[in-house]
């Protein structure tokens, strides 16, 4: 039997005060309860009547924008996705660092949801600035992060589409609420004009207006949840709510000295199994840089080549359910 | 004396491996049966097995006296013998040519099977297990041999826990074992995964799930292995097992030739470049249903259908543009040519495969082999570029490029890549046919004459071709011709051992014919 009483911080991060952590949990509970009230097969794991028996389900996808796969050649999509975080729409964003010769030296990945950083901003400005100084730039000052009315600017000068550093997700689709909404909406079974259940994942996303059909993430989340519900279950996103860097699939990389490239992947934020920020970089003592590494036999020139091998994850909980399934036609 | 019977009936997992269905072997034994070398199974003593088999599967199990019979027993034994170690890390994958058919379709031969990688590492998995059923015999195992390099190929027998060692990757490369036994399908000694690019049309993956209900007819929909399927599916298998495994073997081959310790020469590698020993499959990122349903306005076409894009990249030539056909044109072609998908038995449905336009492409193992040959200095970029640009509009199954194989036999390997490459070029350009316009030799001679600075002139030639292709696929007539070339290449794949299910490709009402693309993007039918 599993009992959930609260929503932990994403990544099980422990930097918030107990009050701020509690208010995060309350906020997430409110959101979850709202979705649970609207969708019969989406449940609130912290509710008093929450199911006692649940199993976990893992949903993964590639961090690299699938939308570009059918549009561009590999070198073009690598350059395009690196050029602006507006292109990075798979709930994972990254920034690269290059040396004076323009050679790739490191890639920092983040799946930190903007809602959490907004929550920090509301509760502890000092902590917010300290985090920016530690992870983005020592020169960050509080005024850089807030607008004229004192509201935190997610897309501030240190965390915008082309800024050198990266604090958290900022692409418009990459939010925790978008993921929650998608998961809850995906519990609705969709039927086409002939009354047949829509099963193709891209068709499902288009039919239910569940996001972008050509992404890796939206069809993957929607399809698995929709199928799970069709099989007689109810679902919810697991606590701690968040998007996670599941792992780097490093076997395709080759290093000049034979060092295991998996050792270049360094989790920076988040508990083990719940990493939300990581860096891919060659340790200085090895005397070479990422540009000297190959992936699938090609020199590493872009962060997106690494993103191709990064798995992003969201966790769900599943339980048997007798609640009637909601069925709707497309577009409703 | 034990009566040994070699069963004749073809059986899974691979057609070629049916030769290894042997009855009457004693339990708890491992025998060597390398087709082309052995007339019959040769029982290996414990000492012989220990000396010949140095992979983790043999070392930890067979050589230690442990002889599992089923795939489930293999995995359990590895887990127990290496508790907490790398071999206990086991990842489960599911593949099937009919896997993307709706679960409601009950009469299709889905050809579903499990593949399990054990001991993942930076160079791929140590042991790979392939099986149709967790609790039945007829298991195939590949495991990396740390003594000789290359993969060892194993097989269980239908009615005993005897194991057959069917050869090592090295046996795939040279006579008399080349092309025999497992090397009929594993032609270069590599692990096989037909699709090595997104969206992996036949694999359980983030792009397309295989519903557990698809396994119901095998009674496996609730089997624990289904719950253990890797969430990343084909995406993870490709990145963590198959590509690294192919790179590992390709690098070992090149290093061995360079060190003078190999029975093969770079000529064997050039064979992979010039002929089509095997292929990978690729497809559009667009699903056929979204093109037909109108939610996708265009169908992107795989660039490797039009040129050998991956091999061109190895010698520094730029990737082709993304070529697309309007969905309306694509759908009209499906209708006009009465395209349908069937399993050759009871199941048939109109339309294309799940992801549109599945076609063969240059095998990744060929690209890896040539890349490693270049790294090791066994071949020169000029030679590779000049060869791959011969009949470049037909990246696979090119009779023109294949004609150049005839000249390789005249060139001996003398330990120097540049000298060998020069000698191959001279053998071609000094041949009598080189003086005849239109021959493969003349085409090569023209390419070779471009010299070391080939990137700009070859790029210009390729760009002119891409522009013509874009014009051709803009019209229904033009795309129908391109579709005919695709079907012609698919039909060639049907003659390869890797073709195991009719559901791999859709079929049209076009009469069977060999069709080639010309450099002006027109279609030429060979009679």
């Amino acid at each position: 039997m599993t009992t959930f009483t609260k929503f932990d911080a994403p990544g099980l991060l422990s930097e918030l005060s107990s009050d701020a952590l509690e208010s995060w949990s309350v906020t997430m509970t409110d959101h979850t309860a709202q979705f649970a009230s609207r969708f019969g097969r989406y449940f609130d794991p912290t509710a008093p009547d929450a199911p006692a028996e649940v199993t976990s389900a893992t949903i993964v996808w590639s961090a690299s924008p699938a939308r570009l796969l059918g549009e561009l050649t590999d070198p073009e999509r690598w350059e395009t996705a690196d050029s602006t975080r507006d292109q990075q729409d798979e709930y994972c964003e990254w920034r690269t660092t290059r040396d004076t010769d323009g050679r790739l030296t490191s890639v920092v990945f983040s799946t930190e949801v903007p809602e959490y950083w907004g929550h920090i901003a509301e509760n502890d400005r000092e902590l917010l600035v300290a985090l920016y100084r530690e992870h983005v730039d020592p020169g960050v000052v509080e005024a850089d992060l807030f607008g004229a009315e004192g509201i935190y600017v997610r897309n501030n000068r240190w965390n915008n589409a082309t800024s050198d550093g990266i604090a958290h997700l900022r692409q418009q689709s990459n939010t925790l609420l978008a993921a929650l909404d998608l998961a809850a909406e995906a519990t609705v079974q969709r039927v086409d004009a002939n009354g047949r259940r829509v099963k193709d994942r891209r068709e499902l996303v288009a039919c239910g207006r569940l996001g972008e059909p050509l992404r890796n993430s939206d069809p993957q989340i929607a399809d698995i949840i929709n199928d799970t519900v069709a099989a007689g279950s109810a679902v919810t996103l697991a606590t701690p709510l968040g998007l996670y860097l599941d792992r780097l699939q490093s076997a395709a990389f080759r290093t000049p000295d034979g060092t295991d490239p998996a050792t270049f992947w360094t989790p920076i934020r988040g508990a083990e199994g719940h990493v939300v920020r990581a860096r891919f970089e060659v340790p200085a003592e090895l005397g070479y840089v990422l540009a000297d590494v190959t992936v699938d036999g090609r020199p590493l020139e872009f962060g997106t080549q690494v993103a191709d091998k990064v798995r992003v994850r969201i966790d769900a909980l599943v339980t048997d359910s007798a609640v009637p399934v909601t069925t709707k036609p497309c577009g409703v | 004396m034990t009566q040994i019977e070699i069963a004749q009936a073809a059986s899974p997992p691979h057609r070629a491996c049916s030769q290894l269905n042997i009855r009457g072997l004693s339990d708890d034994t491992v025998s060597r049966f390398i087709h082309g070398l052995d007339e019959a199974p040769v029982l290996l003593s414990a000492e012989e097995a220990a000396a010949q088999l140095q992979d983790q599967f043999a070392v930890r199990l067979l050589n230690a006296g442990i002889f599992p019979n089923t795939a489930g027993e293999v995995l359990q034994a590895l887990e127990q013998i290496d508790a907490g170690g790398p071999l206990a890390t086991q990842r489960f994958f599911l593949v099937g040519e009919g896997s993307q058919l709706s679960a409601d379709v009950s009469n299709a031969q889905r050809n579903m099977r499990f593949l399990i990688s054990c001991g993942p590492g930076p160079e791929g998995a140590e042991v790979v297990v392939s099986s149709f059923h967790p609790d039945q015999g007829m298991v195939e195992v590949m495991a990396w041999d740390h003594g000789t390099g290359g993969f060892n190929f194993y097989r269980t027998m239908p009615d005993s826990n005897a194991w057959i060692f069917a050869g090592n990757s090295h046996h795939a490369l040279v006579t008399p074992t080349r092309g025999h036994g497992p090397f009929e399908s594993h032609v270069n000694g590599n692990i096989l995964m037909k699709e090595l690019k997104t969206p992996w049309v036949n694999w359980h993956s983030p792009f397309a799930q295989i519903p557990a209900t698809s396994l119901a007819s095998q009674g496996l929909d609730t089997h624990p292995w289904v719950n253990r399927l890797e969430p990343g599916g084909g995406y993870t298998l490709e990145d963590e097992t198959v590509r690294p495994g192919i790179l590992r073997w390709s690098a070992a081959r090149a290093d061995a030739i360079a060190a003078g310790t190999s029975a093969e020469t770079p000529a064997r590698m050039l064979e992979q470049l010039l002929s089509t020993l095997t292929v990978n499959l690729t497809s559009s990122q667009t699903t056929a249903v979204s093109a037909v349903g109108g939610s996708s306005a265009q169908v992107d076409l795989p660039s490797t259908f039009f040129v050998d894009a991956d091999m061109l990249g190895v010698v520094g030539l730029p990737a082709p543009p993304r070529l697309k056909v309007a969905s309306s044109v694509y759908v009209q072609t499906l209708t006009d040519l009465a395209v349908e998908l069937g399993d050759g038995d009871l199941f048939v449905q109109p339309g294309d495969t799940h992801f549109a336009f599945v076609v063969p492409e240059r095998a990744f193992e060929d690209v890896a082999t040539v890349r490693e040959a270049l790294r090791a200095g066994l071949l020169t970029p000029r030679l590779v570029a000049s060869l791959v640009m011969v009949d470049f509009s037909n990246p696979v199954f090119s009779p023109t490029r294949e004609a150049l194989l005839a000249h390789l036999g005249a060139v001996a390997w003398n330990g120097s890549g540049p000298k060998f490459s020069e000698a191959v070029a001279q053998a071609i350009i000094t041949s009598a046919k080189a003086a005849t316009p239109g021959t493969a030799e003349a085409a090569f001679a023209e390419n070779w004459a471009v010299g070391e600075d080939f990137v700009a002139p070859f790029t210009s030639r390729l760009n002119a071709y891409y522009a013509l292709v874009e014009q051709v696929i803009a019209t229904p007539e033009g795309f129908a011709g391109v579709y005919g070339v695709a079907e012609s290449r698919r039909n060639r794949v049907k003659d390869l051992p890797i073709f195991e299910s009719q559901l791999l490709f859709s079929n049209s009402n076009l009469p069977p014919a060999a069709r080639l693309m010309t450099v002006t993007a027109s279609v030429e039918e060979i009679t």
Side-chain angles (χ1 to χ4, degrees), chain A residues 219-233:
Chain A
Q220 173 77 334
I221 296 167
D223 187 35
I224 290 178
I225 287 179
N226 196 261
D227 272 353
T228 302
V229 168
S233 299

Side-chain angles (χ1 to χ4, degrees), chain B residues 257-276:
Chain B
I257 296 174
T261 58
S262 178
E264 73 159 330
T265 74
R268 174 66 174 78
M269 296 172 148
L270 284 179
E271 249 190 274
Q272 289 179 237
L273 179 67
L274 294 173
S275 60
T276 306

